[in-house]
Amino acid sequence: MDYKQKIEDLLTLYFIMGSQNGQGNPEYVLQQAIEGGITLFQFREKGEGALQGDEKRRLGERLKQICKDAGVPFIVNDDIELAMQLDADGVHVGQEDEKAAVTRKQIGNKILGVSTHTLEEAHQAIADGADYLGLGPIFPTESKDDIRKVHGLDLIQAFRRHDIQTPIVGIGGIMSANASDVIQAGGDGVSVISAIAGAEDAKQATVQLKQAVRKEQLED
Ligand SMILES: C=C1C=NC(C(F)(F)F)=NC1=N
Ligand SMILES: [Mg+2]
């Protein structure tokens, strides 16, 4: 899939969800998030009670179709084989996953996102061909079970001060009230799980998040 939009534009409001996030039906929540204006979606089926095998693939197929119908690129977390089966638009990998350089070879020119927590991880990811870096957790988060030191906004600033130009998206505890801080610190966008998947009204939550990010981007 060729992109009319640049990666940093796609990162503006990056929704991440799996069957274990939020109480709603994942397909309905994704549809609401798309109507609310998300710019990128990641299927992250992980943790307690996550779907496996055929069930996971079937949910992935349904969510990908919803994204395709709306022209929102579809990213798969960790599971490269599933990403290739679904012909996803890209993958996101962490430091504990396969080496990003190996993943880059497997996926060709699909989007490659890498989670990074230090400058050397960032430089390695860029050398390995990452299209964007996921930085976090920015704020205390309820979605990630392993409590990693909260890196905060200073890490985004440090990356930019060390002249890292690669698109950066913040993750971890981001909501409407603090989303602009991420952009102000030098992030290209924000990624959220609970702020949308756990909201009473996912569409309204998305609209508010989008407004918060766009307002700050215009001020930069
Ligand atoms: C652990 C993760 C960290 N960052 C990101 C993203 F926001 F996409 F960069 N996704 C993940 N699954
Ligand atoms: Mg991972």
Side-chain angles (χ1 to χ4, degrees):
M1 182 172 179
D2 64 309
Y3 288 106
K4 294 153 212 47
Q5 286 190 318
K6 298 194 303 273
I7 295 285
E8 57 264 33
D9 296 337
L10 292 178
L11 294 177
T12 299
L13 182 49
Y14 189 178
F15 181 38
I16 300 177
M17 179 183 60
S19 66
Q20 304 307 307
N21 302 111
Q23 66 277 17
N25 166 333
E27 288 148 273
Y28 175 74
V29 173
L30 176 55
Q31 191 56 49
Q32 292 298 299
I34 287 173
E35 289 174 19
I38 62 168
T39 50
L40 189 60
F41 175 70
Q42 179 187 129
F43 178 45
R44 179 175 179 268
E45 191 59 19
K46 196 168 183 179
E48 191 66 26
L51 302 178
Q52 309 276 346
D54 272 357
E55 270 196 299
K56 177 180 178 181
R57 187 173 44 73
R58 275 200 297 277
L59 175 59
E61 272 164 6
R62 295 198 304 272
L63 298 179
K64 179 177 187 276
Q65 193 55 52
I66 292 169
C67 287
K68 192 174 167 75
D69 293 347
V72 173
F74 178 85
I75 307 293
V76 174
N77 183 53
D78 287 357
D79 191 337
I80 312 306
E81 189 187 345
L82 178 62
M84 300 312 281
Q85 279 173 349
L86 297 178
D87 189 20
D89 298 298
V91 299
H92 185 90
V93 295
Q95 292 298 320
E96 73 283 0
D97 296 305
E98 181 84 74
K99 290 252 347 105
V102 173
T103 302
R104 169 49 79 201
K105 287 197 182 60
Q106 291 171 302
I107 67 171
N109 69 348
K110 291 176 181 296
I111 296 171
L112 173 61
V114 181
S115 300
T116 55
H117 312 87
T118 63
L119 273 171
E120 61 263 37
E121 285 178 356
H123 287 125
Q124 184 60 56
I126 293 163
D128 291 343
D131 293 302
Y132 72 80
L133 307 176
L135 262 182
I138 302 290
F139 305 106
T141 168
E142 65 270 28
S143 298
K144 189 119 174 125
D145 36 25
D146 71 327
I147 311 290
R148 213 179 281 272
K149 193 171 86 55
V150 174
H151 286 276
L153 302 163
D154 54 348
L155 196 65
I156 300 179
Q157 288 169 331
F159 275 37
R160 294 303 190 205
R161 261 204 306 277
H162 283 79
D163 205 22
I164 288 183
Q165 309 285 329
T166 305
I168 291 173
V169 63
I171 186 169
I174 300 175
M175 52 192 83
S176 298
N178 61 24
S180 60
D181 298 342
V182 178
I183 308 304
Q184 217 162 28
D188 292 288
V190 299
S191 66
V192 300
I193 302 178
S194 319
I196 294 176
E200 273 307 299
D201 179 339
K203 181 173 175 179
Q204 191 48 35
T206 304
V207 168
Q208 281 163 4
L209 268 161
K210 185 79 173 288
Q211 278 168 352
V213 173
R214 296 297 296 142
K215 180 175 172 296
E216 192 56 38
Q217 283 177 332
L218 294 175
E219 279 168 14
D220 274 357

